[in-house]
């Protein structure tokens, strides 16, 4: 089962939870504006919400520049 939650229209934030053996849960930020809006920036590699599209300089920290 997959559940997607879209906060206010156009925010680019979604939370998907899968009911599987791993108890998988993931958070996706479409861009740094969205990550900052919910107080998640900076986003570090290995943490929920991190994506290479957020880490332009590939230093392992997404949305680290204002």
């Amino acid at each position: 089962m997959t559940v997607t939650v879209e906060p206010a229209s156009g925010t680019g934030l979604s939370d998907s939870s899968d009911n599987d053996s791993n108890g998988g849960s993931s958070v996706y930020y479409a861009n740094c504006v969205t990550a900052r809006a919910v107080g998640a920036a900076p986003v570090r590699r290995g943490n929920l919400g991190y994506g290479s599209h957020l880490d332009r300089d590939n230093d392992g920290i997404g949305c680290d520049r204002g």
Side-chain angles (χ1 to χ4, degrees):
M1 171 190 225
T2 300
V3 178
T4 300
V5 177
E6 288 289 340
S9 176
T11 62
L13 170 69
S14 68
D15 178 10
S16 300
S17 298
D18 293 328
N19 232 353
D20 62 13
S21 60
N22 297 328
S25 179
S26 64
V27 177
Y28 174 81
Y29 302 109
N31 53 51
C32 289
V33 171
T34 301
R36 287 186 190 101
V38 297
V43 184
R44 300 186 188 291
R45 185 178 292 138
N47 291 348
L48 287 176
Y50 175 85
S52 59
H53 65 288
L54 302 174
D55 188 4
R56 292 185 180 194
D57 59 1
N58 197 30
D59 65 352
I61 305 170
C63 305
D64 56 338
R65 297 217 158 65

